[in-house]
Amino acid sequence: MPLNIDGCIEGSYQLIGGNFATAGEASTCLKLKLTELGVAETIIRRASIATFEAEMNVIIYAAAGWLHYYITPHGIKIRIEDMGPGIEDIELAMQEGFSTAPEWVRELGWGAGMGLPNMKKNSDLFKIDTVVGEGTTVEMVINIP
Ligand SMILES: Nc1ncnc2c1ncn2[C@@H]1O[C@H](COP(=O)(O)OP(=O)(O)O)[C@@H](O)[C@H]1O
Ligand SMILES: [Mg+2]
C-alpha cells in the first residue's frame, strides 16, 4: 500500500571519513523514520542494508560525504555523495568479494567486498557515478508497492 504522506519527506546527514564512532547513525535514523511512517518491514530491511553499506563506504574510503533521502508515497530514494578517491574500475568493485579495504579496516570486521553487490541487490534502482580523485555518488531507489 502506498504511504499515506503528503508529497515528500526529505533529509540529509553529513558523513565524516574515518569516524567509526558515529558510523551507522545516518542509516539508523532513516530506519527509525521509516518505522514511524509505518513502512513495511521487508522494505525497511532492504533500505537499511543498502543505506548502511553505502554509509560505511564513505566512512571507510572517503574524506567526507552526504547522505540525502527522499521518501514519497511510492518509494525511498537515497543519494550518497562523497569527496574521496573515486573508484578506478566500477565493474571490478561491483564484484562479490572484491575489496581494497586496508588491514586495519579488516581487523574491524569490514572489507568482505559485499557492500556494493548488497546495495544493488536490495534496491530496485541502483546507479553509481565516480570520478577518480574527486568522489563517488551512489543513487538507490527502493519502491513501496
Ligand atoms: N565511496 C567509495 N569511494 C572509493 N572507493 C570505494 C567506495 N565504495 C566502494 N569503493 C571501492 O569498491 C570496493 C568494494 O566495495 P564494497 O563492495 O562495499 O566492499 P568493501 O567495502 O567490503 O571493500 C572497495 O574495497 C573500494 O575499493
Ligand atoms: Mg563496503
Side-chain angles (χ1 to χ4, degrees), residues 33-55:
K33 179 132 284 176
L34 295 172
T35 306
E36 264 172 33
L37 289 167
V39 174
E41 222 172 290
T42 50
I43 307 279
I44 295 181
R45 194 177 313 128
R46 293 173 67 211
S48 299
I49 292 170
T51 308
F52 183 65
E53 290 289 359
E55 178 180 5

Tab-separated table of all heavy atoms in Angstrom, residues 33-55:
chain	number	residue	atom	x	y	z
A	33	LYS	N	12.859	6.628	11.001
A	33	LYS	CA	11.882	7.446	10.276
A	33	LYS	C	10.915	6.559	9.493
A	33	LYS	O	9.706	6.762	9.522
A	33	LYS	CB	12.634	8.405	9.347
A	33	LYS	CG	11.756	9.285	8.532
A	33	LYS	CD	12.207	10.732	8.605
A	33	LYS	CE	11.810	11.357	9.918
A	33	LYS	NZ	12.243	12.684	10.159
A	34	LEU	N	11.456	5.557	8.814
A	34	LEU	CA	10.614	4.661	8.010
A	34	LEU	C	9.673	3.852	8.907
A	34	LEU	O	8.523	3.597	8.555
A	34	LEU	CB	11.480	3.718	7.163
A	34	LEU	CG	12.339	4.387	6.083
A	34	LEU	CD1	13.297	3.387	5.455
A	34	LEU	CD2	11.466	5.033	5.019
A	35	THR	N	10.180	3.472	10.084
A	35	THR	CA	9.360	2.724	11.044
A	35	THR	C	8.199	3.592	11.523
A	35	THR	O	7.050	3.159	11.547
A	35	THR	CB	10.210	2.271	12.250
A	35	THR	OG1	11.340	1.557	11.750
A	35	THR	CG2	9.428	1.366	13.185
A	36	GLU	N	8.508	4.848	11.876
A	36	GLU	CA	7.490	5.811	12.305
A	36	GLU	C	6.392	5.967	11.259
A	36	GLU	O	5.218	6.133	11.587
A	36	GLU	CB	8.134	7.196	12.460
A	36	GLU	CG	8.560	7.565	13.856
A	36	GLU	CD	9.363	8.864	13.821
A	36	GLU	OE1	9.081	9.734	12.967
A	36	GLU	OE2	10.288	8.982	14.623
A	37	LEU	N	6.823	5.965	9.991
A	37	LEU	CA	5.876	6.178	8.894
A	37	LEU	C	5.051	4.934	8.586
A	37	LEU	O	4.129	4.973	7.784
A	37	LEU	CB	6.628	6.607	7.623
A	37	LEU	CG	7.223	8.012	7.636
A	37	LEU	CD1	8.185	8.197	6.477
A	37	LEU	CD2	6.122	9.060	7.578
A	38	GLY	N	5.419	3.819	9.225
A	38	GLY	CA	4.653	2.596	9.030
A	38	GLY	C	4.991	1.847	7.757
A	38	GLY	O	4.174	1.081	7.241
A	39	VAL	N	6.198	2.055	7.248
A	39	VAL	CA	6.641	1.333	6.046
A	39	VAL	C	6.786	-0.162	6.377
A	39	VAL	O	7.198	-0.518	7.485
A	39	VAL	CB	7.989	1.918	5.550
A	39	VAL	CG1	8.567	1.111	4.399
A	39	VAL	CG2	7.818	3.380	5.147
A	40	ALA	N	6.447	-1.009	5.434
A	40	ALA	CA	6.517	-2.464	5.652
A	40	ALA	C	7.930	-2.903	6.021
A	40	ALA	O	8.919	-2.369	5.507
A	40	ALA	CB	6.061	-3.193	4.395
A	41	GLU	N	7.998	-3.896	6.900
A	41	GLU	CA	9.285	-4.334	7.438
A	41	GLU	C	10.278	-4.808	6.365
A	41	GLU	O	11.470	-4.541	6.468
A	41	GLU	CB	9.038	-5.455	8.440
A	41	GLU	CG	9.902	-5.316	9.681
A	41	GLU	CD	9.495	-6.327	10.737
A	41	GLU	OE1	8.406	-6.179	11.321
A	41	GLU	OE2	10.274	-7.260	10.940
A	42	THR	N	9.756	-5.503	5.354
A	42	THR	CA	10.654	-6.008	4.295
A	42	THR	C	11.300	-4.848	3.537
A	42	THR	O	12.467	-4.927	3.155
A	42	THR	CB	9.883	-6.889	3.291
A	42	THR	OG1	8.710	-6.181	2.877
A	42	THR	CG2	9.491	-8.208	3.896
A	43	ILE	N	10.549	-3.777	3.345
A	43	ILE	CA	11.069	-2.597	2.636
A	43	ILE	C	12.103	-1.892	3.520
A	43	ILE	O	13.167	-1.486	3.050
A	43	ILE	CB	9.923	-1.605	2.309
A	43	ILE	CG1	8.791	-2.299	1.571
A	43	ILE	CG2	10.447	-0.380	1.566
A	43	ILE	CD1	8.987	-2.496	0.121
A	44	ILE	N	11.789	-1.780	4.808
A	44	ILE	CA	12.715	-1.132	5.742
A	44	ILE	C	14.029	-1.895	5.780
A	44	ILE	O	15.112	-1.301	5.770
A	44	ILE	CB	12.116	-1.041	7.165
A	44	ILE	CG1	10.886	-0.139	7.169
A	44	ILE	CG2	13.165	-0.542	8.159
A	44	ILE	CD1	10.248	0.041	8.532
A	45	ARG	N	13.932	-3.220	5.791
A	45	ARG	CA	15.151	-4.022	5.865
A	45	ARG	C	16.038	-3.771	4.645
A	45	ARG	O	17.242	-3.563	4.769
A	45	ARG	CB	14.784	-5.511	5.995
A	45	ARG	CG	15.977	-6.359	6.413
A	45	ARG	CD	15.613	-7.832	6.612
A	45	ARG	NE	14.411	-7.998	7.408
A	45	ARG	CZ	13.365	-8.746	7.042
A	45	ARG	NH1	13.384	-9.375	5.891
A	45	ARG	NH2	12.316	-8.858	7.823
A	46	ARG	N	15.437	-3.760	3.470
A	46	ARG	CA	16.215	-3.530	2.244
A	46	ARG	C	16.840	-2.137	2.257
A	46	ARG	O	18.022	-1.971	1.934
A	46	ARG	CB	15.320	-3.690	1.019
A	46	ARG	CG	14.839	-5.115	0.813
A	46	ARG	CD	13.825	-5.194	-0.305
A	46	ARG	NE	14.436	-4.879	-1.596
A	46	ARG	CZ	13.785	-4.307	-2.605
A	46	ARG	NH1	12.529	-3.989	-2.493
A	46	ARG	NH2	14.416	-4.059	-3.725
A	47	ALA	N	16.056	-1.149	2.651
A	47	ALA	CA	16.561	0.238	2.677
A	47	ALA	C	17.693	0.374	3.691
A	47	ALA	O	18.702	1.047	3.433
A	47	ALA	CB	15.428	1.210	3.008
A	48	SER	N	17.545	-0.295	4.836
A	48	SER	CA	18.556	-0.181	5.895
A	48	SER	C	19.874	-0.808	5.474
A	48	SER	O	20.941	-0.229	5.692
A	48	SER	CB	18.081	-0.876	7.169
A	48	SER	OG	16.910	-0.269	7.628
A	49	ILE	N	19.800	-1.992	4.865
A	49	ILE	CA	21.023	-2.678	4.440
A	49	ILE	C	21.745	-1.836	3.388
A	49	ILE	O	22.943	-1.573	3.490
A	49	ILE	CB	20.700	-4.086	3.883
A	49	ILE	CG1	20.209	-5.005	5.012
A	49	ILE	CG2	21.932	-4.694	3.200
A	49	ILE	CD1	19.633	-6.333	4.533
A	50	ALA	N	20.990	-1.391	2.391
A	50	ALA	CA	21.590	-0.618	1.297
A	50	ALA	C	22.206	0.688	1.811
A	50	ALA	O	23.325	1.058	1.443
A	50	ALA	CB	20.531	-0.332	0.232
A	51	THR	N	21.485	1.364	2.698
A	51	THR	CA	21.961	2.650	3.220
A	51	THR	C	23.177	2.464	4.119
A	51	THR	O	24.143	3.227	4.047
A	51	THR	CB	20.834	3.351	4.009
A	51	THR	OG1	19.670	3.402	3.197
A	51	THR	CG2	21.231	4.755	4.394
A	52	PHE	N	23.125	1.436	4.944
A	52	PHE	CA	24.231	1.188	5.865
A	52	PHE	C	25.526	0.882	5.102
A	52	PHE	O	26.588	1.421	5.421
A	52	PHE	CB	23.876	0.032	6.803
A	52	PHE	CG	24.924	-0.258	7.823
A	52	PHE	CD1	25.247	0.671	8.798
A	52	PHE	CD2	25.601	-1.470	7.818
A	52	PHE	CE1	26.230	0.404	9.742
A	52	PHE	CE2	26.581	-1.744	8.756
A	52	PHE	CZ	26.901	-0.806	9.720
A	53	GLU	N	25.442	0.043	4.094
A	53	GLU	CA	26.640	-0.298	3.311
A	53	GLU	C	27.209	0.950	2.626
A	53	GLU	O	28.430	1.136	2.580
A	53	GLU	CB	26.305	-1.369	2.264
A	53	GLU	CG	26.015	-2.742	2.844
A	53	GLU	CD	27.257	-3.450	3.406
A	53	GLU	OE1	28.366	-2.890	3.329
A	53	GLU	OE2	27.104	-4.563	3.926
A	54	ALA	N	26.326	1.775	2.096
A	54	ALA	CA	26.783	2.987	1.404
A	54	ALA	C	27.426	3.969	2.393
A	54	ALA	O	28.459	4.576	2.120
A	54	ALA	CB	25.606	3.652	0.686
A	55	GLU	N	26.800	4.089	3.548
A	55	GLU	CA	27.328	4.963	4.598
A	55	GLU	C	28.721	4.495	5.024
A	55	GLU	O	29.657	5.292	5.137
A	55	GLU	CB	26.365	4.956	5.793
A	55	GLU	CG	26.840	5.802	6.971
A	55	GLU	CD	25.864	5.790	8.141
A	55	GLU	OE1	24.844	5.058	8.096
A	55	GLU	OE2	26.139	6.520	9.108
